[in-house]
Coordinates of all heavy atoms in Angstrom, one line a residue:
M1186 N 65.3 -17.7 5.5 CA 65.7 -18.5 4.3 C 64.7 -18.4 3.2 O 64.8 -19.0 2.2 CB 66.0 -19.9 4.6 CG 67.2 -20.1 5.6 SD 68.8 -19.7 4.8 CE 68.9 -21.2 3.7
A1187 N 63.6 -17.6 3.5 CA 62.6 -17.5 2.5 C 62.9 -16.4 1.5 O 62.4 -15.3 1.5 CB 61.2 -17.2 3.2
N1188 N 63.7 -16.8 0.5 CA 64.1 -15.8 -0.5 C 63.7 -16.2 -1.9 O 64.2 -15.7 -2.9 CB 65.7 -15.6 -0.5 CG 66.4 -16.9 -0.8 OD1 65.8 -18.0 -0.9 ND2 67.7 -16.8 -1.2
S1189 N 62.6 -17.0 -2.0 CA 62.1 -17.3 -3.3 C 61.3 -16.1 -3.8 O 60.7 -15.3 -3.0 CB 61.2 -18.5 -3.2 OG 60.1 -18.3 -2.4
I1190 N 61.4 -15.9 -5.1 CA 60.8 -14.7 -5.7 C 59.5 -15.2 -6.5 O 59.6 -16.0 -7.4 CB 61.7 -14.1 -6.7 CG1 63.0 -13.7 -6.0 CG2 61.1 -12.9 -7.4 CD1 64.1 -13.3 -7.0
W1191 N 58.4 -14.7 -6.0 CA 57.1 -15.0 -6.7 C 56.6 -13.7 -7.4 O 56.5 -12.7 -6.8 CB 56.1 -15.5 -5.7 CG 56.4 -16.8 -5.1 CD1 57.4 -17.6 -5.4 CD2 55.5 -17.6 -4.2 NE1 57.4 -18.8 -4.7 CE2 56.2 -18.8 -4.0 CE3 54.3 -17.3 -3.6 CZ2 55.7 -19.8 -3.1 CZ3 53.8 -18.3 -2.8 CH2 54.5 -19.5 -2.5
T1192 N 56.2 -13.9 -8.6 CA 55.5 -12.8 -9.3 C 54.3 -13.4 -10.0 O 54.2 -14.6 -10.3 CB 56.4 -12.2 -10.4 OG1 56.9 -13.2 -11.3 CG2 57.6 -11.5 -9.8
I1193 N 53.2 -12.6 -10.1 CA 52.0 -13.1 -10.7 C 52.0 -12.5 -12.1 O 52.2 -11.4 -12.4 CB 50.8 -12.6 -9.9 CG1 50.8 -13.3 -8.5 CG2 49.5 -12.9 -10.7 CD1 49.6 -12.8 -7.6
E1194 N 51.7 -13.4 -13.1 CA 51.6 -13.1 -14.5 C 50.3 -13.4 -15.0 O 49.6 -14.4 -14.5 CB 52.7 -13.8 -15.3 CG 54.1 -13.3 -14.9 CD 55.2 -13.8 -15.8 OE1 54.8 -14.2 -16.9 OE2 56.4 -13.7 -15.5
Q1195 N 49.9 -12.7 -16.0 CA 48.6 -13.0 -16.6 C 48.7 -13.5 -18.0 O 49.6 -13.0 -18.8 CB 47.7 -11.7 -16.6 CG 46.3 -11.9 -17.1 CD 45.4 -10.8 -16.8 OE1 45.6 -10.0 -15.9 NE2 44.2 -10.7 -17.5
F1196 N 47.9 -14.4 -18.4 CA 47.9 -15.0 -19.7 C 46.5 -15.1 -20.3 O 45.5 -15.1 -19.5 CB 48.4 -16.5 -19.6 CG 49.8 -16.6 -19.1 CD1 50.0 -16.8 -17.7 CD2 50.9 -16.5 -19.9 CE1 51.3 -16.8 -17.2 CE2 52.2 -16.5 -19.3 CZ 52.4 -16.7 -18.0
T1197 N 46.4 -15.1 -21.6 CA 45.1 -15.1 -22.2 C 45.1 -16.3 -23.2 O 46.0 -16.5 -23.9 CB 44.8 -13.8 -23.0 OG1 44.9 -12.7 -22.2 CG2 43.5 -13.9 -23.7
C1198 N 44.0 -17.1 -23.0 CA 43.9 -18.3 -23.9 C 43.7 -17.9 -25.3 O 42.9 -17.0 -25.6 CB 42.7 -19.1 -23.4 SG 42.4 -20.5 -24.5
A1199 N 44.5 -18.4 -26.2 CA 44.4 -18.1 -27.7 C 43.1 -18.7 -28.3 O 42.7 -18.2 -29.3 CB 45.6 -18.6 -28.4
G1200 N 42.6 -19.7 -27.6 CA 41.4 -20.4 -28.2 C 40.1 -19.7 -27.9 O 39.2 -19.5 -28.7
C1201 N 39.9 -19.2 -26.6 CA 38.7 -18.7 -26.2 C 38.8 -17.4 -25.5 O 37.8 -16.8 -25.0 CB 37.9 -19.7 -25.3 SG 38.7 -20.0 -23.7
S1202 N 40.0 -16.8 -25.4 CA 40.2 -15.5 -24.8 C 40.0 -15.4 -23.3 O 39.9 -14.4 -22.8 CB 39.4 -14.4 -25.5 OG 39.7 -14.3 -26.9
M1203 N 39.9 -16.6 -22.7 CA 39.8 -16.6 -21.3 C 41.1 -16.1 -20.7 O 42.2 -16.5 -21.2 CB 39.5 -18.1 -20.8 CG 39.2 -18.2 -19.3 SD 37.7 -17.4 -18.9 CE 37.8 -17.5 -17.1
S1204 N 41.0 -15.3 -19.6 CA 42.2 -14.8 -19.0 C 42.5 -15.7 -17.7 O 41.6 -16.0 -17.0 CB 42.1 -13.4 -18.6 OG 42.0 -12.6 -19.8
Y1205 N 43.8 -15.9 -17.5 CA 44.3 -16.6 -16.3 C 45.4 -15.9 -15.7 O 46.2 -15.2 -16.4 CB 44.8 -18.0 -16.7 CG 43.7 -19.0 -17.2 CD1 43.4 -19.0 -18.6 CD2 43.0 -19.8 -16.3 CE1 42.4 -19.9 -19.0 CE2 42.0 -20.6 -16.8 CZ 41.7 -20.7 -18.1 OH 40.7 -21.5 -18.6
T1206 N 45.5 -16.0 -14.4 CA 46.8 -15.6 -13.7 C 47.5 -16.8 -13.2 O 46.8 -17.8 -12.8 CB 46.5 -14.6 -12.6 OG1 45.6 -15.2 -11.7 CG2 45.8 -13.3 -13.1
A1207 N 48.8 -16.7 -13.1 CA 49.6 -17.8 -12.5 C 50.7 -17.2 -11.7 O 51.2 -16.1 -12.0 CB 50.1 -18.7 -13.6
T1208 N 51.1 -17.9 -10.7 CA 52.2 -17.4 -9.9 C 53.5 -18.0 -10.4 O 53.6 -19.2 -10.6 CB 52.0 -17.8 -8.4 OG1 50.8 -17.3 -8.0 CG2 53.1 -17.2 -7.5
R1209 N 54.4 -17.2 -10.7 CA 55.7 -17.6 -11.3 C 56.7 -17.6 -10.2 O 56.9 -16.7 -9.4 CB 56.2 -16.7 -12.4 CG 57.6 -16.9 -12.9 CD 58.0 -15.9 -14.0 NE 59.4 -16.0 -14.2 CZ 59.9 -15.9 -15.5 NH1 59.1 -15.7 -16.5 NH2 61.2 -16.0 -15.6
E1210 N 57.4 -18.8 -10.0 CA 58.4 -19.0 -9.0 C 59.7 -19.2 -9.7 O 59.8 -20.1 -10.5 CB 58.0 -20.1 -8.1 CG 58.9 -20.3 -6.9 CD 58.5 -21.5 -6.0 OE1 57.9 -22.4 -6.5 OE2 58.8 -21.4 -4.8
E1211 N 60.7 -18.5 -9.3 CA 62.1 -18.7 -9.8 C 62.7 -19.9 -9.1 O 62.6 -20.1 -7.9 CB 62.9 -17.4 -9.6 CG 62.3 -16.2 -10.2 CD 62.2 -16.3 -11.7 OE1 63.1 -16.9 -12.4 OE2 61.3 -15.7 -12.3
H1212 N 63.4 -20.7 -10.0 CA 64.1 -21.8 -9.4 C 65.5 -21.8 -10.0 O 65.8 -21.3 -11.0 CB 63.4 -23.1 -9.9 CG 62.1 -23.4 -9.2 ND1 62.1 -24.2 -8.1 CD2 60.9 -23.1 -9.5 CE1 60.8 -24.3 -7.7 NE2 60.0 -23.6 -8.5
A1213 N 66.4 -22.5 -9.2 CA 67.8 -22.6 -9.6 C 67.9 -23.7 -10.7 O 68.8 -23.7 -11.5 CB 68.7 -22.9 -8.4
D1214 N 67.0 -24.7 -10.6 CA 67.1 -25.8 -11.6 C 65.9 -25.7 -12.6 O 65.1 -24.8 -12.5 CB 67.0 -27.1 -10.8 CG 65.9 -27.2 -9.9 OD1 65.2 -26.2 -9.6 OD2 65.6 -28.3 -9.4
T1215 N 66.0 -26.5 -13.6 CA 65.0 -26.4 -14.7 C 63.7 -27.1 -14.4 O 63.7 -28.2 -13.9 CB 65.7 -27.0 -15.9 OG1 66.9 -26.3 -16.2 CG2 64.7 -26.9 -17.1
H1216 N 62.6 -26.4 -14.7 CA 61.3 -26.9 -14.6 C 60.6 -26.7 -15.9 O 60.9 -25.8 -16.6 CB 60.5 -26.2 -13.5 CG 60.9 -26.5 -12.1 ND1 60.2 -27.3 -11.2 CD2 62.0 -26.2 -11.4 CE1 60.8 -27.4 -10.1 NE2 61.9 -26.7 -10.2
S1217 N 59.7 -27.6 -16.2 CA 59.0 -27.4 -17.4 C 57.5 -27.9 -17.2 O 57.3 -28.8 -16.3 CB 59.6 -28.2 -18.6 OG 59.6 -29.6 -18.4
G1218 N 56.6 -27.4 -18.0 CA 55.3 -27.8 -17.8 C 54.4 -27.0 -18.7 O 54.9 -26.2 -19.5
C1219 N 53.1 -27.3 -18.7 CA 52.2 -26.5 -19.5 C 50.8 -26.4 -18.8 O 50.5 -27.2 -17.9 CB 52.0 -27.0 -20.9 SG 51.2 -28.6 -21.0
F1220 N 50.1 -25.4 -19.1 CA 48.8 -25.3 -18.5 C 47.7 -25.2 -19.7 O 47.9 -24.5 -20.6 CB 48.7 -24.0 -17.7 CG 47.3 -23.7 -17.2 CD1 46.8 -24.5 -16.1 CD2 46.5 -22.8 -17.8 CE1 45.5 -24.2 -15.6 CE2 45.2 -22.5 -17.3 CZ 44.7 -23.3 -16.2
K1221 N 46.7 -26.0 -19.6 CA 45.7 -26.1 -20.6 C 44.4 -25.4 -20.1 O 44.1 -25.5 -18.9 CB 45.4 -27.5 -21.0 CG 46.5 -28.1 -21.8 CD 46.1 -29.6 -22.2 CE 47.2 -30.2 -23.0 NZ 46.9 -31.6 -23.4
C1222 N 43.8 -24.7 -21.0 CA 42.6 -24.0 -20.7 C 41.5 -25.0 -20.2 O 41.3 -26.0 -20.8 CB 42.1 -23.3 -21.9 SG 40.5 -22.4 -21.7
S1223 N 40.8 -24.6 -19.1 CA 39.8 -25.5 -18.6 C 38.5 -25.4 -19.4 O 37.6 -26.2 -19.2 CB 39.5 -25.1 -17.1 OG 39.1 -23.8 -17.0
I1224 N 38.4 -24.5 -20.3 CA 37.2 -24.3 -21.1 C 37.4 -25.0 -22.4 O 36.5 -25.8 -22.9 CB 36.9 -22.8 -21.2 CG1 36.5 -22.3 -19.9 CG2 35.7 -22.7 -22.2 CD1 36.3 -20.8 -19.9
C1225 N 38.4 -24.7 -23.2 CA 38.6 -25.2 -24.5 C 39.8 -26.1 -24.7 O 40.0 -26.6 -25.8 CB 38.6 -24.0 -25.5 SG 40.2 -23.1 -25.4
S1226 N 40.5 -26.4 -23.6 CA 41.7 -27.3 -23.7 C 42.8 -26.9 -24.5 O 43.7 -27.6 -24.8 CB 41.2 -28.7 -24.1 OG 40.3 -29.2 -23.1
S1227 N 42.8 -25.6 -25.0 CA 44.0 -25.1 -25.7 C 45.1 -24.9 -24.7 O 44.9 -24.7 -23.5 CB 43.7 -23.8 -26.3 OG 42.8 -23.9 -27.4
V1228 N 46.4 -25.0 -25.1 CA 47.5 -24.7 -24.2 C 47.6 -23.2 -24.1 O 47.9 -22.5 -25.0 CB 48.8 -25.3 -24.8 CG1 50.0 -24.9 -23.9 CG2 48.7 -26.8 -24.9
V1229 N 47.4 -22.8 -22.9 CA 47.5 -21.3 -22.6 C 48.9 -20.9 -22.5 O 49.3 -19.9 -23.0 CB 46.7 -21.0 -21.3 CG1 46.9 -19.5 -20.9 CG2 45.3 -21.4 -21.4
H1230 N 49.7 -21.7 -21.8 CA 51.2 -21.4 -21.7 C 51.9 -22.6 -21.4 O 51.5 -23.5 -20.6 CB 51.3 -20.3 -20.5 CG 52.7 -19.8 -20.4 ND1 53.3 -19.1 -21.4 CD2 53.7 -19.9 -19.4 CE1 54.6 -18.8 -21.0 NE2 54.8 -19.3 -19.8
S1231 N 53.1 -22.7 -22.0 CA 54.0 -23.8 -21.7 C 55.4 -23.2 -21.4 O 55.7 -22.1 -21.9 CB 54.1 -24.8 -22.8 OG 54.7 -24.2 -24.0
W1232 N 56.1 -23.8 -20.5 CA 57.3 -23.2 -20.0 C 58.4 -24.2 -19.8 O 58.1 -25.4 -19.6 CB 57.1 -22.4 -18.8 CG 56.7 -23.2 -17.6 CD1 57.5 -23.8 -16.7 CD2 55.4 -23.6 -17.2 NE1 56.7 -24.5 -15.7 CE2 55.4 -24.4 -16.1 CE3 54.1 -23.3 -17.8 CZ2 54.3 -24.9 -15.5 CZ3 53.0 -23.8 -17.2 CH2 53.1 -24.6 -16.0
S1233 N 59.6 -23.8 -19.9 CA 60.8 -24.6 -19.6 C 62.0 -23.7 -19.3 O 62.3 -22.9 -20.1 CB 61.1 -25.5 -20.9 OG 62.2 -26.3 -20.6
G1234 N 62.5 -24.0 -18.2 CA 63.6 -23.1 -17.7 C 63.7 -23.0 -16.2 O 63.1 -23.8 -15.5
G1235 N 64.4 -22.0 -15.8 CA 64.6 -21.8 -14.4 C 63.4 -21.2 -13.6 O 63.6 -20.3 -12.8
H1236 N 62.2 -21.6 -14.0 CA 61.1 -21.0 -13.3 C 59.9 -22.0 -13.4 O 59.9 -22.9 -14.3 CB 60.7 -19.7 -13.9 CG 60.5 -19.7 -15.4 ND1 61.5 -19.5 -16.3 CD2 59.4 -19.9 -16.1 CE1 61.0 -19.6 -17.5 NE2 59.7 -19.8 -17.4
H1237 N 58.9 -21.8 -12.6 CA 57.8 -22.7 -12.6 C 56.5 -21.9 -12.4 O 56.6 -20.8 -11.7 CB 57.9 -23.8 -11.5 CG 56.9 -24.8 -11.6 ND1 56.8 -25.7 -12.7 CD2 55.9 -25.2 -10.8 CE1 55.8 -26.5 -12.5 NE2 55.2 -26.3 -11.3
F1238 N 55.4 -22.3 -13.0 CA 54.2 -21.6 -12.8 C 53.2 -22.5 -12.0 O 53.1 -23.7 -12.3 CB 53.5 -21.2 -14.1 CG 54.3 -20.1 -14.9 CD1 55.2 -20.4 -15.8 CD2 54.0 -18.8 -14.6 CE1 55.9 -19.4 -16.5 CE2 54.7 -17.7 -15.2 CZ 55.6 -18.0 -16.2
F1239 N 52.5 -21.9 -11.1 CA 51.6 -22.7 -10.3 C 50.4 -21.8 -9.9 O 50.4 -20.6 -10.1 CB 52.2 -23.4 -9.1 CG 52.7 -22.5 -8.1 CD1 52.0 -22.3 -6.9 CD2 53.9 -21.7 -8.2 CE1 52.4 -21.4 -5.9 CE2 54.3 -20.9 -7.3 CZ 53.6 -20.7 -6.1
R1240 N 49.5 -22.3 -9.2 CA 48.3 -21.6 -8.7 C 47.6 -20.9 -9.9 O 47.3 -19.7 -9.8 CB 48.7 -20.6 -7.6 CG 47.7 -20.6 -6.5 CD 48.2 -19.8 -5.3 NE 48.3 -18.4 -5.7 CZ 47.6 -17.4 -5.2 NH1 46.7 -17.7 -4.2 NH2 47.7 -16.2 -5.6
W1241 N 47.3 -21.6 -10.9 CA 46.5 -21.0 -12.0 C 45.1 -20.7 -11.6 O 44.4 -21.6 -11.0 CB 46.5 -22.0 -13.2 CG 47.9 -22.1 -13.9 CD1 48.9 -22.9 -13.5 CD2 48.3 -21.3 -15.0 NE1 50.0 -22.7 -14.4 CE2 49.6 -21.8 -15.3 CE3 47.7 -20.3 -15.8 CZ2 50.4 -21.2 -16.3 CZ3 48.5 -19.8 -16.8 CH2 49.8 -20.2 -17.1
E1242 N 44.7 -19.5 -12.0 CA 43.3 -19.1 -11.6 C 42.7 -18.4 -12.8 O 43.3 -17.6 -13.5 CB 43.3 -18.2 -10.4 CG 43.7 -18.9 -9.1 CD 43.7 -17.9 -7.9 OE1 43.3 -16.8 -8.1 OE2 44.1 -18.4 -6.8
A1243 N 41.4 -18.7 -13.0 CA 40.7 -18.0 -14.1 C 40.4 -16.6 -13.6 O 40.0 -16.4 -12.5 CB 39.5 -18.8 -14.5
V1244 N 40.5 -15.7 -14.5 CA 40.1 -14.3 -14.2 C 38.7 -14.0 -14.8 O 38.5 -14.2 -16.0 CB 41.1 -13.3 -14.9 CG1 40.7 -11.9 -14.6 CG2 42.5 -13.6 -14.4
K1245 N 37.9 -13.6 -13.9 CA 36.5 -13.4 -14.3 C 36.3 -11.9 -14.7 O 36.1 -11.0 -13.9 CB 35.5 -13.7 -13.1 CG 35.5 -15.2 -12.7 CD 34.6 -15.4 -11.6 CE 34.5 -16.9 -11.2 NZ 35.9 -17.4 -10.8
T1246 N 36.6 -11.7 -16.0 CA 36.5 -10.3 -16.5 C 35.2 -10.0 -17.1 O 34.8 -8.9 -17.3 CB 37.6 -10.1 -17.6 OG1 37.4 -11.1 -18.6 CG2 39.0 -10.2 -17.0
R1247 N 34.4 -11.0 -17.4 CA 33.1 -10.8 -18.0 C 32.2 -11.9 -17.5 O 32.6 -13.0 -17.3 CB 33.2 -10.7 -19.5 CG 33.5 -12.0 -20.2 CD 33.8 -11.8 -21.7 NE 35.0 -11.1 -21.9 CZ 35.5 -10.9 -23.2 NH1 34.8 -11.3 -24.2 NH2 36.6 -10.2 -23.4
P1248 N 30.9 -11.6 -17.4 CA 30.0 -12.7 -17.0 C 29.9 -13.8 -18.0 O 30.0 -13.6 -19.2 CB 28.6 -12.0 -16.9 CG 28.8 -10.7 -17.7 CD 30.2 -10.4 -17.7
P1249 N 29.8 -15.0 -17.5 CA 29.8 -16.1 -18.5 C 28.5 -16.1 -19.3 O 27.5 -15.7 -18.9 CB 29.8 -17.4 -17.5 CG 29.3 -16.8 -16.2 CD 29.7 -15.4 -16.1
V1250 N 28.7 -16.6 -20.5 CA 27.5 -16.7 -21.4 C 26.6 -17.8 -21.0 O 25.4 -17.7 -21.2 CB 28.0 -16.9 -22.9 CG1 26.8 -17.0 -23.8 CG2 28.9 -15.7 -23.3
F1251 N 27.2 -18.8 -20.5 CA 26.5 -20.0 -20.1 C 25.4 -19.7 -19.1 O 25.7 -18.9 -18.1 CB 27.4 -21.1 -19.5 CG 28.6 -21.3 -20.3 CD1 29.8 -20.8 -19.9 CD2 28.6 -22.0 -21.5 CE1 31.0 -21.0 -20.7 CE2 29.7 -22.1 -22.3 CZ 30.9 -21.7 -21.9
G1252 N 24.3 -20.2 -19.2 CA 23.2 -20.1 -18.2 C 22.5 -18.8 -18.3 O 21.7 -18.5 -17.4
R1253 N 22.7 -18.0 -19.3 CA 21.9 -16.8 -19.4 C 20.5 -17.1 -19.7 O 20.2 -17.9 -20.5 CB 22.5 -15.9 -20.5 CG 21.7 -14.6 -20.7 CD 22.3 -13.8 -21.8 NE 23.7 -13.3 -21.5 CZ 24.5 -12.7 -22.3 NH1 24.1 -12.6 -23.6 NH2 25.6 -12.2 -22.0
R1254 N 19.6 -16.5 -19.0 CA 18.2 -16.8 -19.1 C 17.6 -15.8 -20.1 O 17.9 -14.6 -20.1 CB 17.4 -16.6 -17.8 CG 17.9 -17.5 -16.7 CD 17.3 -18.9 -16.8 NE 15.9 -18.9 -16.8 CZ 15.1 -19.3 -15.8 NH1 15.7 -19.6 -14.7 NH2 13.8 -19.3 -15.9
W1255 N 16.9 -16.3 -21.1 CA 16.2 -15.4 -22.1 C 14.8 -15.2 -21.7 O 13.9 -15.9 -22.2 CB 16.4 -16.0 -23.4 CG 17.8 -16.1 -23.9 CD1 18.6 -17.2 -23.9 CD2 18.6 -15.0 -24.5 NE1 19.8 -16.9 -24.3 CE2 19.8 -15.6 -24.7 CE3 18.3 -13.7 -24.8 CZ2 20.8 -14.8 -25.3 CZ3 19.3 -12.9 -25.3 CH2 20.6 -13.5 -25.6
A1256 N 14.6 -14.4 -20.7 CA 13.2 -14.1 -20.3 C 12.5 -13.2 -21.4 O 13.1 -12.3 -21.9 CB 13.2 -13.4 -19.0
D1257 N 11.3 -13.5 -21.7 CA 10.5 -12.7 -22.6 C 11.2 -12.6 -24.0 O 11.4 -11.6 -24.5 CB 10.2 -11.3 -22.1 CG 9.4 -11.3 -20.9 OD1 8.5 -12.2 -20.8 OD2 9.6 -10.5 -20.0
A1258 N 11.6 -13.8 -24.5 CA 12.3 -13.8 -25.8 C 11.3 -13.6 -26.9 O 11.7 -13.3 -28.0 CB 13.0 -15.1 -26.0
G1259 N 10.1 -13.8 -26.7 CA 9.1 -13.5 -27.7 C 8.8 -14.6 -28.6 O 8.1 -14.4 -29.6
Y1260 N 9.2 -15.8 -28.2 CA 8.9 -17.0 -29.1 C 7.5 -17.5 -28.8 O 7.1 -17.6 -27.7 CB 9.9 -18.1 -28.8 CG 11.3 -17.8 -29.3 CD1 12.3 -17.7 -28.3 CD2 11.5 -17.5 -30.6 CE1 13.6 -17.4 -28.7 CE2 12.8 -17.2 -31.0 CZ 13.8 -17.1 -30.1 OH 15.1 -16.8 -30.5
Ligands
ZN2577 ZN1 40.4 -21.5 -23.8

């Protein structure tokens, strides 16, 4: 009876260009929701219809700027 269809889609935050993936699950009834960026709180994606998105994960495409050490900066 496991005939649910899951596909993984990728989204990019319009605010900070962070990439996320989410698993899209098809439903017979209507679901709605939205996902907000964990970094800048912009709405990355909102949906309403016969599908639902879950398991949002950030895609680490580049090293974070935060925490970079400036060794020998010359100050
Ligand atoms: Zn963002």
Side-chain angles (χ1 to χ4, degrees):
M1186 294 293 285
N1188 63 346
S1189 60
I1190 302 167
W1191 289 3
T1192 54
I1193 294 176
E1194 296 193 11
Q1195 184 164 342
F1196 301 91
T1197 302
C1198 175
C1201 68
S1202 299
M1203 185 70 190
S1204 293
Y1205 293 91
T1206 57
T1208 304
R1209 171 179 169 142
E1210 183 180 29
E1211 301 298 327
H1212 287 269
D1214 52 349
T1215 300
H1216 289 251
S1217 64
C1219 68
F1220 175 76
K1221 289 183 180 178
C1222 179
S1223 61
I1224 295 173
C1225 70
S1226 296
S1227 295
V1228 175
V1229 177
H1230 186 62
S1231 63
W1232 63 91
S1233 178
H1236 55 274
H1237 190 63
F1238 289 95
F1239 67 102
R1240 223 173 66 113
W1241 288 87
E1242 292 181 4
V1244 179
K1245 295 179 179 63
T1246 54
R1247 66 187 72 175
V1250 176
F1251 314 104
R1253 178 181 291 171
R1254 300 282 302 256
W1255 295 98
D1257 295 325
Y1260 294 118

